[in-house]
Amino acid sequence: MTIPLSDLLRHLGPVDLSAVDARSTPGFDGGKDDAKAALGALGPELADLQERLHAGGRAETTDRSVLLVLQGMDTAGKGGTISTVAGLVDPQGLALASFGKPTPEELEHDFLWRVERRLPTAGQIGIFDRSHYEDVLIGRVRQLAEPAEIERRYDAINDFERRFTDHGGVVVKCLLHIDRDVQAERLRARLEDPTKYWKYNPGDIDERAFWDDYQRAYEIAVERCSTEAAPWHIVPAGRKWYRNWAVATLLAETLRGLDLAWPPADFDPQAELARLEADT
Amino acid sequence: MTIPLSDLLRHLGPVDLSAVDARSTPGFDGGKDDAKAALGALGPELADLQERLHAGGRAETTDRSVLLVLQGMDTAGKGGTISTVAGLVDPQGLALASFGKPTPEELEHDFLWRVERRLPTAGQIGIFDRSHYEDVLIGRVRQLAEPAEIERRYDAINDFERRFTDHGGVVVKCLLHIDRDVQAERLRARLEDPTKYWKYNPGDIDERAFWDDYQRAYEIAVERCSTEAAPWHIVPAGRKWYRNWAVATLLAETLRGLDLAWPPADFDPQAELARLEADT
C-alpha cells in the first residue's frame, strides 16, 4: 500500500529545517528521467480533474476551490513549479497571483487585504507565488512591523485560512525547501547565463546574510500555522524534478479527494436533441 | 517562399462570410495528424518567445504586449483554442479574460470600461474570450442599445485599439468562423455526452434563429474595425486541428515580429559572481 505523499510531507508541530535534506526525494524511488515520466503520466489525470472542478464552478454545482500556496527562499523554484505544474492544466481554470513588495495602497490595508481579493473562486485552482506568509517571514526577519503585530498575524492567518476552508476551499501549502549551497549554485547559474539575468537581483545576495533568520522564521510559521484545516508540506526542492513531481502529486491527491462529479444537466437532453433536429 | 499566415487570413474591407468555407485549411497542406505535429513543434518556440516577452516586462525593458481577441459563434471553439494554444506557454505570462453578459456595475459604465481594465500590461499576452466586439454583435442583433449608440461604437473601438497599439500593444483579432452545420454537429455532441452537459445552454438553440443576423453583424464589425493597426483575421474553425494550428501560428508570427531580446543585466555579472564566491 502506498502512503499518500501528503502524509509524507505534511508537518504539524515543531520543525527543524536544518534536519531536512534539500536533495532528498521522499516518496519517490527513481531519478530525474523517472520523475519526468511520472509527471507526464500525471498530466492527463490532473487536466481531467481540473476540468471537472472548473465545470462545477461554471455550472454553479460546486463551491469547491483549491489554493496552492508556494513559499521558499529565492531560487527555491516557485516560478518554475508554477510553469511546470500549472502548465499541465487548462489555464482558464487557474487564478495565479504573485505577491511582491506591497504597494502604497496595499500598505494602507491590513496585510490580508491584498491576499483575500486574489483567493480562487468556486471551480478555480488558485496558485500563490509568495503569499500572506511573507508578512511573517521577511516581515519578521527585516522587522517590517512591530513584534506584537507580527505575533498577531499568525492567529489572523489561521482564522483567514479557516474561513476559506469553511466555505469549500482547500489549502495546500508548500514550503519549497533548499539549502544555502543550492541557492549559491542557482544564483551562479543566473549570473553565467545572459538569458537568466532578468531573474537576478543584487539584493538576493544581501538577503543571504539573513539565511538563518529566514529559516527560523519559516520554522515558526510552520509551527504556528500548520493546522489540520490547512497543513504545511515541506517539499525538498534541491532537485527540480522531484519538486515538480511532488507539487503536482500533492495537487492531484487534493483534487482526487474532492470526488468531483460532472455537473448534471439542468435541461432535458432528449428534448433538446429533438429541438436541434427540428432546427437543422 | 512561404506567405505568412497572417497575410493569408487577414481581411481588410468588405467581407462575405458565406463565401468562406468553414472547413477549409488555408496555408496548411496536410491533415489532422500533421497539424497536431506542427502545433507540437511550434510549442517550444512559442514558449521561448513568450518567456522573452515576459522577461522584458519583469525587467521593465519593454513596453510590448500582445492581445489575442477571440470571437465566434457558440461552439466555434474559443475555449478550446485558449486551452490548447495558451497551454503551450507559461501561464505566468498570460492574462486571460472572459466577457459574458455584463454585470449591473459594468452596465453603468461605457462598454469599453470593463475591457480596458483587462488589457495585458507590458510583457503579457492577453487573451480575450469574447470582447468589446460583443457590444456590436449581440448588441446589434438583439438590439441591446439604440442604433445610434451601436454606430458610435465602431469608431470608439478603433480609437480604443489604436490607443493600445500606440503604447506598445499588438492586437491579433481572430474570428473563428463556423457554419450552421458545424454548430449543429457540436451542439449534438454536447447533448450526447454527459461530461459536456455543462457547456450546453438551451439558449444556444434560440440564438440559432438569428444566425444570418449574426453573420451580418460579424461582416459589419470586420468591415468597420479591421484596421492596419488592428486587423481582423478570419480563421476557418470547422476543423479544430486547423483552428488551433492557425491561431498558434498567428501568435508565433506576431511574437517573432517583436524582435524580443533578453533584457540586459542592470548589474555587473562578474562583480556579482565575486560577491557570491566571497559569500559561499
Side-chain angles (χ1 to χ4, degrees), chain A residues 23-40:
Chain A
R23 291 180 187 271
S24 62
T25 61
F28 193 78
D29 285 328
K32 184 172 181 171
D33 291 346
D34 306 305
K36 290 197 169 186
L39 182 67

Side-chain angles (χ1 to χ4, degrees), chain A residues 52-99:
Chain A
R52 289 165 183 259
L53 179 64
H54 178 61
R58 287 280 296 272
E60 300 182 17
T61 56
T62 190
D63 67 347
R64 309 314 302 264
S65 64
V66 174
L67 173 63
L68 179 64
V69 173
L70 299 179
Q71 285 286 162
M73 301 294 289
D74 283 327
T75 77
K78 300 176 289 295
T81 303
I82 295 172
S83 166
T84 305
V85 177
L88 295 172
V89 302
D90 185 343
Q92 293 168 104
L94 293 174
L96 306 185
S98 175
F99 298 97

Side-chain angles (χ1 to χ4, degrees), chain A residues 28-270:
Chain A
F28 193 78
D29 285 328
K32 184 172 181 171
D33 291 346
D34 306 305
K36 290 197 169 186
L39 182 67
L42 203 56
E45 188 197 356
L46 211 47
D48 175 73
L49 288 165
Q50 186 226 15
E51 191 183 357
R52 289 165 183 259
L53 179 64
H54 178 61
R58 287 280 296 272
E60 300 182 17
T61 56
T62 190
D63 67 347
R64 309 314 302 264
S65 64
V66 174
L67 173 63
L68 179 64
V69 173
L70 299 179
Q71 285 286 162
M73 301 294 289
D74 283 327
T75 77
K78 300 176 289 295
T81 303
I82 295 172
S83 166
T84 305
V85 177
L88 295 172
V89 302
D90 185 343
Q92 293 168 104
L94 293 174
L96 306 185
S98 175
F99 298 97
K101 194 178 166 190
T103 64
E105 186 192 16
E106 288 168 352
L107 286 173
E108 281 174 23
H109 295 82
D110 179 67
F111 77 106
L112 291 169
W113 177 77
R114 65 173 182 165
V115 180
E116 180 138 35
R117 44 217 302 263
R118 304 299 294 275
L119 285 172
T121 57
Q124 288 185 323
I125 295 175
I127 306 183
F128 282 1
D129 175 354
R130 303 182 188 273
S131 67
H132 41 299
Y133 282 94
E134 289 296 310
D135 297 279
V136 293
L137 293 168
I138 191 172
R140 181 179 190 101
V141 172
R142 306 305 297 258
Q143 303 176 19
L144 303 180
E146 295 294 322
E149 164 62 11
I150 301 283
E151 279 305 304
R152 183 191 72 82
R153 289 178 181 170
Y154 298 102
D155 291 335
I157 287 173
N158 290 339
D159 289 346
F160 169 73
E161 293 178 353
R162 185 54 184 265
R163 279 199 302 279
F164 179 68
T165 59
D166 277 348
H167 292 86
V170 183
V171 185
V172 183
K173 298 185 290 197
C174 295
L175 167 49
L176 306 182
H177 173 65
I178 56 170
D179 59 33
R180 244 177 151 270
D181 291 342
V182 168
Q183 189 186 58
E185 188 185 297
R186 292 184 182 167
L187 288 174
R188 194 176 297 118
R190 291 180 181 180
L191 287 166
E192 287 171 344
D193 180 352
T195 74
K196 295 200 169 112
Y197 285 164
W198 65 279
K199 297 184 180 184
Y200 182 83
N201 183 324
D204 296 347
I205 292 186
D206 303 331
E207 224 58 22
R208 277 167 69 78
F210 300 92
W211 187 274
D212 292 341
D213 295 337
Y214 273 108
Q215 296 305 298
R216 184 74 198 116
Y218 274 107
E219 289 170 348
I220 295 168
V222 170
E223 194 173 327
R224 301 276 301 265
C225 299
S226 195
T227 61
E228 292 287 348
W232 268 105
H233 303 81
I234 299 179
V235 180
R239 298 181 195 269
K240 295 177 184 176
W241 49 265
Y242 174 77
R243 176 202 74 200
N244 291 338
W245 171 82
V247 174
T249 299
L250 291 173
L251 186 58
E253 289 179 357
T254 302
L255 290 168
R256 282 180 206 132
L258 298 182
D259 289 324
L260 298 162
W262 291 103
D266 57 358
F267 48 83
D268 176 351
Q270 292 312 316

Side-chain angles (χ1 to χ4, degrees), chain A residues 200 206 208 272 275 279, chain B residues 200 206 208 272 275 279:
Chain A
Y200 182 83
D206 303 331
R208 277 167 69 78
E272 292 299 314
R275 280 181 71 206
D279 185 60
Chain B
Y200 181 82
D206 303 333
R208 277 167 69 77
E272 292 299 314
R275 281 182 71 207
D279 185 60

